[in-house]
Amino acid sequence: MVKQSNFPFTAPSSICLFPYHGGAEHNIPVVISKISKEQKAELSGLLFIGDGILQINGINVRNYRHEEVVQVLRNAGEEVTLTVSFLKKTPAFLKLPLCEDCTCVPSDQSSGTSSPLCDSGLHLNYHPNNTDTLSCSSWPTSPGLRWEKRWVDLRLIPLLHSRLSQYIPGTDICRQNAFQVIAVDGVCSGVIQCLTSEDCLDWLQAIAANISNLTKHNIKKINRNFPVNQQIIYMGWVDEREQDSLQDRMYTPKFLALRGSSLFKFSAPPVTTWDWTRAEKSFTVYEIMCKILKDSDLLDQRKNCFSLQTESGEDMFFSVELECELTLWEKAFQTATFLEVERIQCKTYACIMESHLMGLTIDFSMGFICFDAASKAVLWRYKFSQLKGSSDDGKSKIKFLFQNQDTKLIEAKELEFSNLFAVLHCIHSFFAAKVACLDPLYVGSQGAAAAAVASAPAPATCAAGTGKIKYST
């Protein structure tokens, strides 16, 4: 990036060029190493530490030696025009301490000013009690100076309910080693470009971890206002794939929340209690099916995807940014379903069998119970273990194949439902919960998860200092 800084200032008193910071002898332009405080060069906002000087009043000094650049700058007069470029890569010697044979004397005498090194972010700071005029040769050994790391905030983004995006908005095209952070109020970081994929992944994981910790902390605070059967298990951003492939925008950000027996889909995070009543859609967790998509099942270039089939049979596709976020969602959905099945214990659906109105109860303890809707008389019952197979027509009918415990013969029972997919998903949820109960480690983890949602303290890593992302130079 090349820029021009055209304004009146006295060059020798406004900027400082340390001898070992560039020049033809080092194969790089001479680097601005210090900008005096409250001088016109700093107040202009056009010059920065680390800028390499390319031209002075139109004179090309890119290949000048350091002392030649200093001489040109001293003779430039009061009206100075600099053409500069920030050096992205600088030799290692720029990070070394000041050499003792430096004869450059800083022009300002002020205490409390700083002299930052352009590429390392390190500053040579005057001690508050040291007001003496210091020459460069005295800086390395002066007790009044110390190395210090300083950051200048360019933008501050609250991470609570913010989201990450590696993809070009609305598409399945992933940026190369780049991402952006979007705050809940829409403030965007802009595209952050990393040098390597490893650096990019490190940043993504670090930011995602902070967002997750802040979300967990916020969930615990919100849950204080909700009864036990309405506790929040999960909240987070996803990208939903649009059903209409003709639209230019293939993906739209959505906010999902698992609370009590329901899955909520929002266009923005719920902040007030009233917001929970204004969700775009809500579904009963044990009446929907969640599937984590394998690489062979992906619909496009988006990775870390899952699908949800609703009680009406509608398929929805979502993606998250990181694999750890996909794992978090999967565990949260399993937990929400397990806890809800454990809470309700049974669910009854109206059905028709042989032209008679019936009721089918799926009972967590007893299995399948079919009864006459009018007389409530039980016609048949089977345990979960007796179900040997089933099939459906994709519209309304389910054929169950049960094994008679006495005769060991297979008995077929065909029932017709008005809400076929809700029944199928409910049976799947009860079966999954039943199988999970056979795994003591799983049951223990779900109990711990439920207790954590209700009463656990905030994570130790969720400190105030991790609540925002800063842009700094």
Side-chain angles (χ1 to χ4, degrees):
M1 179 181 66
V2 177
K3 55 190 176 182
Q4 279 197 346
S5 304
N6 191 357
F7 51 88
F9 71 93
T10 304
S13 64
S14 296
I15 64 175
C16 185
L17 312 175
F18 291 144
Y20 53 84
H21 279 186
E25 60 269 39
H26 300 300
N27 296 321
I28 63 171
V30 171
V31 176
I32 295 176
S33 304
K34 177 182 178 182
I35 299 178
S36 299
K37 298 293 184 180
E38 304 302 326
Q39 298 292 324
K40 289 184 179 180
E42 183 200 38
L43 296 176
S44 71
L46 297 176
L47 286 180
F48 300 94
I49 305 302
D51 284 345
I53 300 177
L54 305 181
Q55 294 183 9
I56 301 175
N57 287 347
I59 302 174
N60 189 344
V61 297
R62 183 193 298 264
N63 297 320
Y64 279 31
R65 295 179 63 83
H66 182 275
E67 60 269 18
E68 294 173 333
V69 175
V70 172
Q71 189 61 38
V72 173
L73 192 59
R74 286 176 178 172
N75 298 330
E78 294 297 321
E79 184 76 20
V80 178
T81 300
L82 296 181
T83 301
V84 297
S85 175
F86 182 76
L87 303 182
K88 294 182 179 179
K89 295 183 179 180
T90 53
F93 66 79
L94 291 182
K95 299 182 180 181
L96 296 176
L98 297 174
C99 56
E100 295 185 1
D101 59 351
C102 174
T103 57
C104 174
V105 178
S107 57
D108 62 305
Q109 314 290 328
S110 60
S111 62
T113 60
S114 63
S115 177
L117 297 181
C118 62
D119 63 335
S120 64
L122 294 175
H123 294 238
L124 276 175
N125 293 332
Y126 288 96
H127 190 279
N129 298 326
N130 188 351
T131 58
D132 298 333
T133 300
L134 298 176
S135 65
C136 288
S137 60
S138 67
W139 290 4
T141 58
S142 172
L145 296 174
R146 67 182 185 276
W147 294 105
E148 180 181 295
K149 188 82 172 180
R150 283 192 176 182
W151 300 96
V152 179
D153 296 339
L154 302 180
R155 191 170 298 175
L156 200 60
I157 301 177
L159 287 182
L160 178 61
H161 292 329
S162 66
R163 58 188 177 90
L164 292 169
S165 177
Q166 301 176 79
Y167 295 90
I168 296 175
T171 73
D172 63 337
I173 302 174
C174 185
R175 295 185 175 95
Q176 187 69 25
N177 302 336
F179 66 94
Q180 59 182 347
V181 183
I182 302 95
V184 67
D185 58 359
V187 176
C188 182
S189 65
V191 178
I192 303 172
Q193 185 70 51
C194 300
L195 295 178
T196 66
S197 58
E198 291 78 10
D199 290 343
C200 186
L201 182 59
D202 286 345
W203 273 110
L204 288 170
Q205 290 177 340
I207 296 173
N210 278 293
I211 293 175
S212 177
N213 285 335
L214 289 168
T215 301
K216 291 177 183 178
H217 181 69
N218 192 46
I219 287 175
K220 290 177 178 63
K221 292 195 297 184
I222 297 175
N223 279 342
R224 297 170 187 168
N225 302 317
F226 291 139
V228 175
N229 62 340
Q230 290 294 316
Q231 295 286 288
I232 300 172
I233 302 296
Y234 170 90
M235 290 198 301
W237 284 100
V238 297
D239 282 303
E240 181 180 15
R241 195 176 197 274
E242 298 290 347
Q243 299 295 327
D244 187 359
S245 60
L246 298 178
Q247 293 184 359
D248 293 336
R249 191 177 186 88
M250 295 173 57
Y251 285 88
T252 304
K254 298 296 180 182
F255 193 83
L256 298 185
L258 291 167
R259 175 187 161 202
S261 62
S262 300
L263 166 65
F264 296 89
K265 184 176 74 171
F266 301 91
S267 58
V271 177
T272 66
T273 304
W274 175 248
D275 290 339
W276 288 92
T277 65
R278 298 187 291 178
E280 288 185 3
K281 290 184 178 181
S282 62
F283 313 94
T284 304
V285 291
Y286 55 81
E287 290 184 339
I288 59 177
M289 180 81 74
C290 176
K291 178 183 179 182
I292 305 300
L293 301 185
K294 300 179 181 179
D295 290 344
S296 58
D297 299 326
L298 298 177
L299 303 180
D300 48 45
Q301 299 182 58
R302 288 256 182 170
K303 298 181 179 180
N304 304 318
C305 299
F306 64 93
S307 66
L308 291 175
Q309 188 176 63
T310 68
E311 66 270 16
S312 63
E314 176 190 4
D315 288 316
M316 301 185 298
F317 296 90
F318 302 92
S319 77
V320 293
E321 294 295 321
L322 301 174
E323 185 177 358
C324 60
E325 294 178 315
L326 185 63
T327 302
L328 181 65
W329 158 258
E330 183 180 19
K331 290 182 178 179
F333 186 83
Q334 291 174 349
T335 298
T337 304
F338 178 87
L339 294 176
E340 191 58 23
V341 169
E342 190 178 49
R343 187 186 69 83
I344 64 174
Q345 289 294 308
C346 65
K347 178 66 178 179
T348 300
Y349 294 96
C351 60
I352 294 176
M353 186 177 72
E354 298 176 353
S355 301
H356 295 285
L357 183 61
M358 303 289 179
L360 176 68
T361 297
I362 307 169
D363 190 283
F364 192 66
S365 301
M366 302 179 67
F368 298 90
I369 303 171
C370 185
F371 59 91
D372 183 270
S375 64
K376 308 300 181 184
V378 175
L379 302 181
W380 48 263
R381 70 177 72 213
Y382 296 95
K383 297 180 180 179
F384 285 110
S385 59
Q386 291 179 264
L387 180 64
K388 299 304 178 181
S390 66
S391 61
D392 63 272
D393 62 358
K395 297 178 180 179
S396 60
K397 294 181 180 179
I398 305 177
K399 179 181 288 188
F400 296 99
L401 301 177
F402 297 105
Q403 185 180 46
N404 189 297
Q405 283 186 324
D406 298 327
T407 64
K408 305 300 180 183
L409 298 176
I410 300 297
E411 299 175 353
K413 304 292 182 182
E414 185 174 271
L415 305 176
E416 186 174 355
F417 300 87
S418 60
N419 49 352
L420 173 70
F421 291 97
V423 177
L424 289 174
H425 298 159
C426 181
I427 293 173
H428 178 273
S429 297
F430 271 71
F431 260 101
K434 197 71 176 178
V435 172
C437 281
L438 301 178
D439 183 356
L441 293 178
Y442 181 85
V443 175
S445 65
Q446 302 314 302
V453 168
S455 60
T461 55
C462 185
T466 64
K468 298 178 180 179
I469 180 173
K470 294 183 179 182
Y471 272 96
S472 305
T473 58

Coordinates of all heavy atoms in Angstrom, one line a residue, residues 231-293:
Q231 N -35.5 -24.6 30.5 CA -34.1 -24.2 30.6 C -33.5 -24.2 29.1 O -33.8 -25.0 28.3 CB -33.3 -25.1 31.5 CG -33.7 -25.1 32.9 CD -33.2 -23.8 33.6 OE1 -32.0 -23.6 33.9 NE2 -34.2 -22.9 33.9
I232 N -32.6 -23.3 28.9 CA -31.9 -23.2 27.6 C -30.7 -24.1 27.6 O -29.9 -24.1 28.6 CB -31.4 -21.7 27.4 CG1 -32.6 -20.8 27.3 CG2 -30.6 -21.7 26.0 CD1 -32.2 -19.3 27.3
I233 N -30.6 -24.9 26.6 CA -29.5 -25.9 26.5 C -28.4 -25.4 25.5 O -27.2 -25.6 25.7 CB -30.0 -27.3 26.0 CG1 -31.0 -27.8 26.9 CG2 -28.8 -28.2 25.8 CD1 -30.5 -28.1 28.3
Y234 N -28.9 -24.6 24.5 CA -27.9 -24.2 23.4 C -28.4 -22.9 22.8 O -29.7 -22.7 22.6 CB -27.8 -25.3 22.4 CG -27.1 -24.9 21.1 CD1 -25.7 -25.1 21.0 CD2 -27.8 -24.3 20.0 CE1 -25.0 -24.7 19.9 CE2 -27.1 -23.9 18.9 CZ -25.7 -24.1 18.8 OH -25.0 -23.8 17.7
M235 N -27.5 -22.0 22.4 CA -27.8 -20.9 21.6 C -26.6 -20.6 20.7 O -25.4 -20.8 21.2 CB -28.1 -19.6 22.4 CG -29.4 -19.6 23.2 SD -29.9 -18.0 23.7 CE -28.5 -17.5 24.7
G236 N -26.8 -20.3 19.4 CA -25.7 -20.0 18.6 C -26.1 -19.7 17.1 O -27.2 -20.0 16.7
W237 N -25.1 -19.1 16.4 CA -25.4 -18.8 15.0 C -25.1 -20.0 14.1 O -24.2 -20.8 14.3 CB -24.5 -17.6 14.6 CG -24.9 -16.3 15.1 CD1 -24.4 -15.6 16.2 CD2 -25.9 -15.4 14.5 NE1 -25.0 -14.4 16.3 CE2 -25.9 -14.3 15.3 CE3 -26.8 -15.5 13.5 CZ2 -26.8 -13.2 15.1 CZ3 -27.7 -14.5 13.2 CH2 -27.7 -13.4 14.0
V238 N -25.9 -20.0 13.0 CA -25.7 -21.0 11.9 C -26.0 -20.3 10.6 O -26.5 -19.1 10.7 CB -26.6 -22.2 12.1 CG1 -26.3 -23.0 13.3 CG2 -28.1 -21.8 12.0
D239 N -25.7 -20.9 9.5 CA -26.1 -20.4 8.2 C -27.1 -21.4 7.6 O -26.7 -22.5 7.4 CB -24.9 -20.2 7.3 CG -24.1 -18.9 7.6 OD1 -24.7 -17.9 7.6 OD2 -22.9 -19.1 7.9
E240 N -28.2 -20.9 7.3 CA -29.3 -21.7 6.7 C -29.2 -21.7 5.2 O -29.2 -20.6 4.6 CB -30.7 -21.3 7.2 CG -31.8 -22.2 6.6 CD -33.2 -21.9 7.1 OE1 -33.3 -20.7 7.6 OE2 -34.1 -22.7 7.0
R241 N -29.3 -22.8 4.5 CA -29.3 -22.9 3.1 C -30.7 -22.6 2.6 O -31.7 -23.2 3.0 CB -28.9 -24.3 2.6 CG -28.5 -24.3 1.1 CD -28.0 -25.7 0.7 NE -27.3 -25.7 -0.5 CZ -27.9 -25.8 -1.7 NH1 -29.2 -26.0 -1.8 NH2 -27.1 -25.8 -2.8
E242 N -30.8 -21.6 1.7 CA -32.1 -21.3 1.1 C -32.7 -22.4 0.3 O -32.0 -23.1 -0.5 CB -32.0 -20.0 0.3 CG -31.6 -18.8 1.1 CD -32.6 -18.3 2.1 OE1 -33.8 -18.7 2.0 OE2 -32.3 -17.5 2.9
Q243 N -34.0 -22.6 0.4 CA -34.7 -23.7 -0.4 C -34.7 -23.3 -1.8 O -34.6 -24.2 -2.7 CB -36.1 -23.9 0.2 CG -36.1 -24.3 1.6 CD -35.5 -25.7 1.9 OE1 -35.5 -26.6 1.0 NE2 -34.9 -25.9 3.0
D244 N -34.9 -22.0 -2.1 CA -35.0 -21.6 -3.5 C -33.5 -21.4 -4.1 O -32.9 -20.4 -3.8 CB -35.7 -20.3 -3.6 CG -36.0 -19.9 -5.1 OD1 -35.5 -20.7 -6.0 OD2 -36.7 -18.9 -5.3
S245 N -33.1 -22.4 -4.9 CA -31.7 -22.3 -5.4 C -31.6 -21.2 -6.5 O -30.4 -20.9 -6.9 CB -31.3 -23.7 -6.0 OG -32.2 -24.0 -7.1
L246 N -32.7 -20.6 -6.9 CA -32.6 -19.6 -7.9 C -32.1 -18.2 -7.4 O -31.8 -17.3 -8.1 CB -33.9 -19.4 -8.7 CG -34.4 -20.7 -9.4 CD1 -35.8 -20.4 -10.0 CD2 -33.4 -21.1 -10.5
Q247 N -32.2 -18.1 -6.1 CA -31.8 -16.9 -5.4 C -30.3 -16.7 -5.5 O -29.6 -17.7 -5.4 CB -32.3 -16.8 -4.0 CG -33.9 -16.8 -3.8 CD -34.3 -16.7 -2.4 OE1 -33.5 -16.6 -1.5 NE2 -35.6 -16.6 -2.2
D248 N -29.9 -15.4 -5.5 CA -28.5 -15.1 -5.5 C -27.9 -15.5 -4.2 O -26.7 -15.9 -4.1 CB -28.3 -13.6 -5.9 CG -28.7 -13.3 -7.3 OD1 -28.7 -14.2 -8.1 OD2 -29.0 -12.1 -7.5
R249 N -28.6 -15.3 -3.1 CA -28.1 -15.6 -1.8 C -28.5 -17.0 -1.4 O -29.6 -17.3 -1.1 CB -28.7 -14.6 -0.8 CG -28.0 -14.6 0.6 CD -28.5 -13.5 1.5 NE -27.8 -13.4 2.7 CZ -26.7 -12.7 2.9 NH1 -26.2 -12.0 1.9 NH2 -26.1 -12.7 4.1
M250 N -27.4 -17.8 -1.3 CA -27.7 -19.3 -1.0 C -27.8 -19.5 0.5 O -28.6 -20.4 0.9 CB -26.5 -20.1 -1.6 CG -26.4 -20.1 -3.1 SD -24.9 -21.0 -3.6 CE -25.1 -22.6 -2.8
Y251 N -27.1 -18.7 1.3 CA -27.2 -18.9 2.7 C -27.5 -17.6 3.5 O -27.2 -16.5 3.0 CB -25.8 -19.4 3.2 CG -25.5 -20.8 2.9 CD1 -24.9 -21.2 1.7 CD2 -25.8 -21.8 3.8 CE1 -24.7 -22.5 1.4 CE2 -25.6 -23.2 3.5 CZ -25.0 -23.5 2.3 OH -24.8 -24.8 2.0
T252 N -28.3 -17.8 4.6 CA -28.7 -16.7 5.4 C -28.4 -17.0 6.8 O -28.7 -18.1 7.3 CB -30.2 -16.4 5.3 OG1 -30.5 -16.2 3.9 CG2 -30.6 -15.2 6.1
P253 N -27.8 -16.0 7.6 CA -27.5 -16.3 9.0 C -28.8 -16.4 9.8 O -29.7 -15.6 9.7 CB -26.7 -15.0 9.4 CG -26.3 -14.4 8.2 CD -27.3 -14.7 7.1
K254 N -28.8 -17.4 10.7 CA -29.9 -17.7 11.6 C -29.4 -18.0 12.9 O -28.2 -18.4 13.1 CB -30.8 -18.8 11.1 CG -31.5 -18.6 9.7 CD -32.4 -17.5 9.8 CE -33.1 -17.3 8.4 NZ -34.0 -16.1 8.4
F255 N -30.2 -17.7 14.0 CA -29.8 -18.0 15.3 C -30.7 -19.1 15.9 O -31.9 -18.9 16.0 CB -29.9 -16.7 16.2 CG -29.2 -16.8 17.5 CD1 -27.9 -16.5 17.6 CD2 -30.0 -17.1 18.6 CE1 -27.2 -16.6 18.8 CE2 -29.3 -17.2 19.9 CZ -28.0 -16.9 20.0
L256 N -30.1 -20.2 16.3 CA -30.8 -21.3 16.8 C -30.7 -21.4 18.3 O -29.7 -21.0 18.9 CB -30.3 -22.7 16.2 CG -30.4 -22.9 14.7 CD1 -30.0 -24.3 14.4 CD2 -31.8 -22.6 14.2
A257 N -31.8 -21.8 19.0 CA -31.8 -22.0 20.4 C -32.6 -23.2 20.8 O -33.7 -23.4 20.3 CB -32.4 -20.7 21.1
L258 N -32.0 -24.0 21.7 CA -32.7 -25.2 22.2 C -33.1 -24.8 23.7 O -32.3 -24.6 24.5 CB -31.8 -26.4 22.3 CG -31.4 -27.0 20.9 CD1 -30.3 -28.0 21.0 CD2 -32.7 -27.7 20.3
R259 N -34.4 -24.7 23.9 CA -34.9 -24.4 25.2 C -36.1 -25.2 25.5 O -37.1 -25.3 24.8 CB -35.4 -22.9 25.2 CG -36.0 -22.5 26.5 CD -36.6 -21.1 26.3 NE -37.6 -20.8 27.4 CZ -38.6 -19.9 27.3 NH1 -38.7 -19.1 26.2 NH2 -39.4 -19.8 28.3
G260 N -36.0 -26.0 26.6 CA -37.1 -26.9 27.1 C -37.3 -27.9 26.0 O -36.5 -28.6 25.5
S261 N -38.6 -28.0 25.6 CA -39.0 -29.0 24.6 C -38.9 -28.5 23.2 O -39.3 -29.2 22.2 CB -40.5 -29.4 24.9 OG -41.3 -28.3 24.7
S262 N -38.4 -27.2 23.0 CA -38.5 -26.6 21.7 C -37.1 -26.2 21.1 O -36.2 -25.9 21.8 CB -39.4 -25.4 21.7 OG -40.7 -25.7 22.1
L263 N -37.1 -26.2 19.8 CA -36.0 -25.6 19.0 C -36.6 -24.4 18.4 O -37.6 -24.4 17.6 CB -35.5 -26.6 17.9 CG -34.6 -26.0 16.9 CD1 -33.3 -25.5 17.4 CD2 -34.3 -27.0 15.7
F264 N -35.9 -23.3 18.6 CA -36.3 -22.0 18.1 C -35.3 -21.5 17.0 O -34.1 -21.7 17.1 CB -36.4 -20.9 19.2 CG -37.4 -21.2 20.2 CD1 -37.0 -21.9 21.4 CD2 -38.7 -20.7 20.1 CE1 -37.9 -22.1 22.4 CE2 -39.6 -20.9 21.1 CZ -39.2 -21.7 22.3
K265 N -35.9 -20.9 15.9 CA -35.1 -20.3 14.9 C -35.4 -18.8 14.8 O -36.5 -18.4 14.6 CB -35.3 -21.0 13.5 CG -34.4 -20.5 12.4 CD -34.6 -21.2 11.1 CE -35.9 -20.8 10.4 NZ -36.0 -21.4 9.1
F266 N -34.4 -18.0 15.0 CA -34.5 -16.6 15.0 C -33.7 -16.0 13.9 O -32.7 -16.6 13.4 CB -34.0 -15.9 16.3 CG -34.8 -16.4 17.6 CD1 -34.3 -17.5 18.3 CD2 -35.9 -15.8 18.0 CE1 -34.9 -18.0 19.4 CE2 -36.6 -16.2 19.2 CZ -36.1 -17.3 19.8
S267 N -34.0 -14.7 13.5 CA -33.2 -14.0 12.6 C -32.1 -13.2 13.4 O -31.1 -12.7 12.9 CB -34.0 -13.0 11.8 OG -34.8 -12.1 12.6
A268 N -32.4 -13.0 14.7 CA -31.4 -12.3 15.6 C -31.6 -12.9 17.0 O -32.6 -13.5 17.4 CB -31.8 -10.8 15.7
P269 N -30.5 -12.8 17.8 CA -30.6 -13.5 19.2 C -31.7 -12.9 20.0 O -31.9 -11.6 20.0 CB -29.2 -13.1 19.8 CG -28.3 -12.9 18.6 CD -29.2 -12.3 17.6
P270 N -32.4 -13.7 20.8 CA -33.4 -13.2 21.7 C -32.8 -12.5 22.9 O -31.9 -13.1 23.5 CB -34.2 -14.4 22.1 CG -33.2 -15.5 22.0 CD -32.3 -15.2 20.8
V271 N -33.2 -11.3 23.2 CA -32.7 -10.5 24.3 C -33.7 -10.5 25.4 O -33.3 -10.7 26.6 CB -32.3 -9.1 23.8 CG1 -31.8 -8.3 25.0 CG2 -31.3 -9.2 22.7
T272 N -34.9 -10.2 25.1 CA -36.0 -10.1 26.2 C -36.8 -11.4 26.2 O -36.8 -12.2 25.2 CB -36.8 -8.9 25.9 OG1 -37.6 -9.0 24.7 CG2 -36.0 -7.6 25.8
T273 N -37.6 -11.5 27.2 CA -38.6 -12.7 27.3 C -39.6 -12.6 26.1 O -40.0 -13.6 25.6 CB -39.3 -12.6 28.6 OG1 -38.4 -12.6 29.7 CG2 -40.2 -13.8 28.8
W274 N -39.9 -11.4 25.8 CA -40.9 -11.2 24.7 C -40.3 -11.7 23.3 O -41.0 -12.2 22.5 CB -41.3 -9.7 24.6 CG -42.2 -9.4 23.4 CD1 -41.8 -8.7 22.3 CD2 -43.5 -9.8 23.2 NE1 -42.9 -8.6 21.4 CE2 -44.0 -9.3 22.0 CE3 -44.4 -10.6 23.9 CZ2 -45.2 -9.5 21.5 CZ3 -45.7 -10.8 23.4 CH2 -46.1 -10.2 22.2
D275 N -39.0 -11.6 23.2 CA -38.4 -12.1 21.9 C -38.6 -13.6 21.7 O -38.6 -14.0 20.5 CB -36.9 -11.8 22.0 CG -36.6 -10.3 21.9 OD1 -37.4 -9.5 21.4 OD2 -35.5 -9.9 22.3
W276 N -38.7 -14.3 22.7 CA -38.9 -15.8 22.6 C -40.3 -16.1 21.9 O -40.4 -17.2 21.3 CB -38.8 -16.5 23.9 CG -37.4 -16.5 24.4 CD1 -36.8 -15.6 25.2 CD2 -36.4 -17.5 24.1 NE1 -35.5 -15.9 25.5 CE2 -35.2 -17.1 24.8 CE3 -36.3 -18.6 23.3 CZ2 -34.0 -17.8 24.7 CZ3 -35.2 -19.3 23.3 CH2 -34.0 -18.9 24.0
T277 N -41.2 -15.2 22.0 CA -42.5 -15.4 21.4 C -42.5 -15.0 19.9 O -43.5 -15.2 19.2 CB -43.6 -14.7 22.1 OG1 -43.4 -13.2 22.0 CG2 -43.6 -15.0 23.6
R278 N -41.4 -14.4 19.5 CA -41.4 -13.9 18.1 C -40.4 -14.6 17.2 O -39.8 -14.1 16.3 CB -41.1 -12.4 18.1 CG -42.1 -11.6 18.9 CD -41.9 -10.1 18.7 NE -40.7 -9.6 19.4 CZ -40.2 -8.4 19.4 NH1 -40.8 -7.5 18.7 NH2 -39.2 -8.1 20.1
A279 N -40.2 -15.9 17.5 CA -39.3 -16.7 16.7 C -39.9 -16.9 15.3 O -41.1 -16.9 15.2 CB -39.0 -18.0 17.4
E280 N -39.0 -17.0 14.3 CA -39.5 -17.3 13.0 C -40.2 -18.6 12.9 O -41.3 -18.7 12.3 CB -38.3 -17.3 12.0 CG -37.7 -16.0 11.7 CD -36.6 -16.1 10.6 OE1 -36.4 -17.2 10.1 OE2 -36.0 -15.0 10.3
K281 N -39.6 -19.6 13.6 CA -40.2 -21.0 13.7 C -39.8 -21.6 15.0 O -38.8 -21.3 15.5 CB -39.8 -21.8 12.5 CG -40.4 -21.4 11.1 CD -40.0 -22.4 10.0 CE -40.6 -22.1 8.7 NZ -40.2 -23.0 7.6
S282 N -40.6 -22.5 15.4 CA -40.3 -23.3 16.6 C -40.7 -24.8 16.3 O -41.8 -25.0 15.7 CB -40.9 -22.8 17.9 OG -42.3 -22.8 17.8
F283 N -40.0 -25.7 16.9 CA -40.3 -27.1 16.7 C -40.1 -27.9 18.0 O -39.3 -27.5 18.8 CB -39.3 -27.7 15.6 CG -39.1 -26.9 14.4 CD1 -38.1 -26.0 14.3 CD2 -40.0 -27.1 13.3 CE1 -38.0 -25.2 13.1 CE2 -39.9 -26.3 12.2 CZ -38.9 -25.4 12.1
T284 N -40.8 -29.0 18.1 CA -40.7 -29.8 19.3 C -39.5 -30.7 19.1 O -39.4 -31.4 18.1 CB -41.9 -30.7 19.5 OG1 -43.1 -29.8 19.7 CG2 -41.8 -31.5 20.8
V285 N -38.5 -30.7 20.0 CA -37.2 -31.4 19.8 C -37.4 -32.9 19.5 O -36.6 -33.4 18.7 CB -36.2 -31.2 20.9 CG1 -35.8 -29.7 21.0 CG2 -36.8 -31.6 22.3
Y286 N -38.3 -33.6 20.2 CA -38.4 -35.0 20.0 C -39.2 -35.4 18.8 O -39.4 -36.5 18.4 CB -39.0 -35.7 21.2 CG -40.3 -35.2 21.7 CD1 -41.5 -35.6 21.1 CD2 -40.4 -34.3 22.8 CE1 -42.7 -35.1 21.6 CE2 -41.6 -33.8 23.3 CZ -42.7 -34.3 22.7 OH -43.9 -33.8 23.1
E287 N -39.8 -34.4 18.0 CA -40.5 -34.6 16.8 C -39.8 -34.1 15.6 O -40.4 -34.1 14.5 CB -41.9 -33.9 16.9 CG -42.8 -34.6 17.9 CD -44.2 -34.0 17.9 OE1 -44.4 -32.8 17.4 OE2 -45.1 -34.6 18.4
I288 N -38.5 -33.8 15.7 CA -37.7 -33.5 14.5 C -36.5 -34.4 14.5 O -36.1 -34.9 15.6 CB -37.2 -32.0 14.5 CG1 -36.4 -31.7 15.8 CG2 -38.4 -31.1 14.4 CD1 -35.9 -30.3 15.8
M289 N -35.9 -34.6 13.4 CA -34.7 -35.5 13.2 C -33.5 -34.6 12.8 O -33.6 -33.8 11.9 CB -35.0 -36.5 12.1 CG -33.9 -37.5 11.9 SD -33.8 -38.8 13.1 CE -35.2 -39.8 12.5
C290 N -32.4 -34.9 13.5 CA -31.2 -34.2 13.2 C -30.2 -35.2 12.6 O -30.0 -36.2 13.1 CB -30.6 -33.5 14.4 SG -29.0 -32.7 14.1
K291 N -29.5 -34.8 11.5 CA -28.6 -35.6 10.8 C -27.3 -34.8 10.5 O -27.4 -33.8 9.9 CB -29.1 -36.2 9.5 CG -28.1 -37.1 8.8 CD -28.7 -37.6 7.5 CE -27.7 -38.4 6.7 NZ -28.2 -38.8 5.4
I292 N -26.2 -35.3 11.0 CA -24.9 -34.7 10.7 C -24.4 -35.2 9.3 O -24.3 -36.4 9.1 CB -23.8 -35.0 11.8 CG1 -24.3 -34.6 13.2 CG2 -22.5 -34.3 11.5 CD1 -24.6 -33.2 13.3
L293 N -24.2 -34.3 8.4 CA -23.9 -34.6 7.1 C -22.4 -35.0 6.9 O -21.5 -34.3 7.3 CB -24.2 -33.5 6.1 CG -25.7 -33.0 6.1 CD1 -25.9 -31.9 5.0 CD2 -26.6 -34.2 5.9

